[in-house]
Amino acid sequence: MDQKREHKPHCLILPYPSQGHINPLIQFSKRLAHKGITITFAVPQDVLTSSSAADISASIAVETISDGYNSAAARADADPREYLVTFKKEGTESTSRLIEKLREGRGRAVDCVVYDAFLPWGLAVAKSKGLFGAAFFTQASSVNVVYYNVFKGLLKVPVTERETVLPGLPSLAVSDLPSFVVDQEKYPGVLELLVGQFDGVEDSDFVFVNSVYELEEKANEWMKKSMSIQTIGPAIPSIYLDKRIQHDKNYGLSLFKPDDICMRWLQQRSPKSVIYVSFGSIAKLEKHEMEELATALKLTGKHFLWVVRSSEVSKLPENFTDEASGKGLIVSWCSQLEVLAHDAIGCFVTHCGWNSTLEALSLGVPMVGVPWWSDQATNAKFVMDVWKMGVRAYPDDGGVVGHEELVRCVNCVMEGERAEEMRENARKWKELAKGAVNEGGSSDRNIQQFVSTLMGVTLVLFQANKWMKKSMSVKTIGPAIPPSMYLDKRLQEDTNYGLSLFKPDDTCMKWLQQRSPKSAGPSLGPCGLCDRTGPPIFRGL
């Protein structure tokens, strides 16, 4: 037991600081901790002070880094391009300091940095410290296929063709594509962020995706060939899936305070009778869009639970809250997982953000997709045409989803001719999601492979150092390669060994500057330590 504790691997987790990115990485961290990995979760200070992050999990330590901003409001108002530049500079420096702090402190030194793919500089930090680097994609693999083809120059933007055919995906109309590849001018800088996820990813030791292999089998197969991805989802609390992690009922972080009245209200409703409406933590509907939705909810004649954030309440029709009190409940926030798991929910009207979509899939709730931007239209396409567990509400010529269209979609999902088929498909995907994270499932196997790799490497190093220490009281001080410039950069001008029996040929660097990345080098063949079909197990040692 002592030996196991001493060589227990340690992962530093770097999420992009928004709720939709933090929560999946929290859940992945819980899975790793459950399998014996030490976890340190790093977020900006204001995220800790403005949320319930202190209650993430007893098995996860939380530390702070800097992104150069001191509030969520300042972060949200920043130009995406400016934010990325600032975060790269501040994040690189503060994360490097944190790794040194963890190395020098009582806790075990970090072995691997798991970085949100929105933060590709996380890999550079890991490699500069001689650590494993693992990319984590929070979007669907199908959406990653689109952005990866843009990254490789194989899909030109803005896309104007009526149909787009990409490997691993069904034919996509312009309205099915992520908004950023269709209209770049409307969202300046955002496409750079999304395409930039793939910068350097081929050098990552592991690449994880919050998806289920069987859910997007063709897309996952193609991405696996392109960058050796491993699916580890759905990254939602264990209590709703395999129940193997005790007390894992909540994500552990919420930037909004849930309204406790929801569950009491749902208890009074009949099974499959309630429309649940929520557009996530970011979407901002226009006043006329809110009015159309309010009208639709009244016209259905059904009970509804509508999440309207405090900042959006002023857009509701006058007196609507009082008029709807007999049939509806309007709250500022709720525990979405608890709501979706409740038997009273018959339909989820959603923006089709990937986290919300995965939650509905995992809990077997049919959906009405009302995509707003980003990857949501692509997710809605899969909900309707691939998974066949819901429908998409389409906007009119003015770009507004009208109340008549919303009523049609809700009725189709809850009581139409295909309603039972959709519910049956929803139940099928629910079981598949549960099976993926259960022992021996596709996601569980990928997580276990990662854990086993880290365990194996750290055990080899631990045993070797322990034997040498016992034999001759050795103390490790390496790597003793001079150039601090290539490691911690703490020794100024330390770029050379200082002695060489041979005179270097200065033409080398000039010649290399003319070569493409990763294109030069002798072919020595397999070294015997590398797993050529998977992650390079001993890279970085």
Side-chain angles (χ1 to χ4, degrees), residues 5-39:
R5 278 198 299 270
E6 286 188 62
H7 78 267
K8 191 176 181 181
H10 185 180
C11 286
L12 177 66
I13 312 295
L14 293 178
Y16 186 81
S18 70
Q19 183 164 307
H21 286 249
I22 291 173
N23 283 341
L25 273 161
I26 287 175
Q27 289 309 127
F28 182 53
S29 297
K30 290 179 184 177
R31 293 274 172 189
L32 295 178
H34 180 66
K35 290 179 177 287
I37 303 294
T38 297
I39 300 293

Side-chain angles (χ1 to χ4, degrees), residues 236-291:
I236 71 171
S238 175
I239 195 70
Y240 300 102
L241 295 167
D242 57 325
K243 298 179 173 59
R244 289 193 292 161
I245 304 178
Q246 290 186 355
H247 312 300
D248 183 26
K249 186 178 181 180
N250 301 307
Y251 282 110
L253 181 145
S254 178
L255 302 181
F256 304 92
K257 186 177 180 180
D259 193 325
D260 295 334
I261 195 175
C262 299
M263 303 313 294
R264 294 195 298 271
W265 185 83
L266 285 174
Q267 290 293 354
Q268 301 169 30
R269 309 281 84 85
S270 303
K272 313 301 178 191
S273 66
V274 176
I275 306 166
Y276 170 55
V277 186
S278 178
F279 293 115
S281 60
I282 297 177
K284 296 179 181 179
L285 277 66
E286 299 294 336
K287 185 175 177 62
H288 61 277
E289 293 174 313
M290 294 283 278
E291 290 171 349

Side-chain angles (χ1 to χ4, degrees), residues 61-266:
V62 180
E63 293 279 355
T64 60
I65 58 170
S66 173
D67 64 350
Y69 294 77
N70 57 14
S71 72
R75 192 176 293 119
D77 291 341
D79 178 275
R81 289 163 292 194
E82 179 184 323
Y83 178 70
L84 290 178
V85 171
T86 303
F87 198 177
K88 181 178 181 179
K89 178 180 181 298
E90 298 292 331
T92 296
E93 293 175 0
S94 57
T95 303
S96 295
R97 289 195 299 270
L98 175 58
I99 291 173
E100 289 303 316
K101 170 187 166 184
L102 294 171
R103 177 180 291 166
E104 295 166 3
R106 283 184 164 186
R108 198 197 182 293
V110 173
D111 298 291
C112 179
V113 175
V114 179
Y115 66 97
D116 190 312
F118 272 28
L119 310 175
W121 51 263
L123 178 63
V125 172
K127 294 307 177 185
S128 73
K129 302 294 184 181
L131 310 176
F132 285 99
F136 188 98
F137 287 86
T138 56
Q139 300 149 152
S141 288
S142 301
V143 173
N144 287 333
V145 169
V146 177
Y147 290 136
Y148 187 68
N149 276 272
V150 175
F151 175 74
K152 286 294 188 180
L154 302 174
L155 178 63
K156 303 299 180 183
V157 293
V159 178
T160 56
E161 290 80 4
R162 288 186 59 186
E163 288 191 333
T164 298
V165 179
L166 293 171
L169 304 184
S171 178
L172 300 174
V174 171
S175 60
D176 299 325
L177 289 167
S179 56
F180 307 128
V181 305
V182 177
D183 191 349
Q184 292 174 268
E185 294 183 3
K186 189 176 180 181
Y187 311 104
V190 180
L191 184 61
E192 297 172 25
L193 168 64
L194 292 158
V195 173
Q197 294 179 95
F198 303 98
D199 186 19
V201 73
E202 69 276 2
D203 294 324
S204 295
D205 299 290
F206 305 89
V207 182
F208 300 118
V209 181
N210 181 24
S211 183
V212 178
Y213 176 80
E214 295 85 352
L215 195 63
E216 307 178 86
E217 188 168 349
K218 292 181 180 179
N220 282 322
E221 269 301 306
W222 189 81
M223 290 300 288
K224 193 171 183 180
K225 292 175 183 175
S226 301
M227 61 178 74
S228 300
I229 66 157
Q230 294 175 294
T231 53
I232 54 81
I236 71 171
S238 175
I239 195 70
Y240 300 102
L241 295 167
D242 57 325
K243 298 179 173 59
R244 289 193 292 161
I245 304 178
Q246 290 186 355
H247 312 300
D248 183 26
K249 186 178 181 180
N250 301 307
Y251 282 110
L253 181 145
S254 178
L255 302 181
F256 304 92
K257 186 177 180 180
D259 193 325
D260 295 334
I261 195 175
C262 299
M263 303 313 294
R264 294 195 298 271
W265 185 83
L266 285 174

Side-chain angles (χ1 to χ4, degrees), residues 450-469:
F450 173 57
V451 170
S452 298
T453 300
L454 291 185
M455 290 280 194
V457 171
T458 55
L459 178 59
V460 168
L461 293 176
F462 167 76
Q463 289 178 331
N465 286 331
K466 185 178 179 182
W467 186 86
M468 290 295 290
K469 188 174 182 180

Side-chain angles (χ1 to χ4, degrees), residues 366-433:
M367 288 171 268
V368 171
V370 189
W372 178 54
W373 74 328
S374 190
D375 59 340
Q376 296 160 13
T378 311
N379 298 335
K381 164 73 173 178
F382 274 71
V383 167
M384 183 168 73
D385 295 335
V386 178
W387 304 318
K388 301 184 186 299
M389 57 175 293
V391 296
R392 176 179 176 178
Y394 286 95
D396 58 23
D397 293 339
V400 177
V401 178
H403 62 269
E404 292 181 346
E405 171 71 351
L406 287 165
V407 171
R408 179 191 72 81
C409 289
V410 168
N411 288 337
C412 178
V413 169
M414 293 189 73
E415 57 193 34
E417 292 181 3
R418 295 183 52 235
E420 183 53 41
E421 175 192 347
M422 292 181 201
R423 282 193 289 269
E424 181 57 38
N425 286 333
R427 285 191 288 268
K428 178 184 74 173
W429 294 117
K430 174 182 178 180
E431 292 305 311
L432 183 144

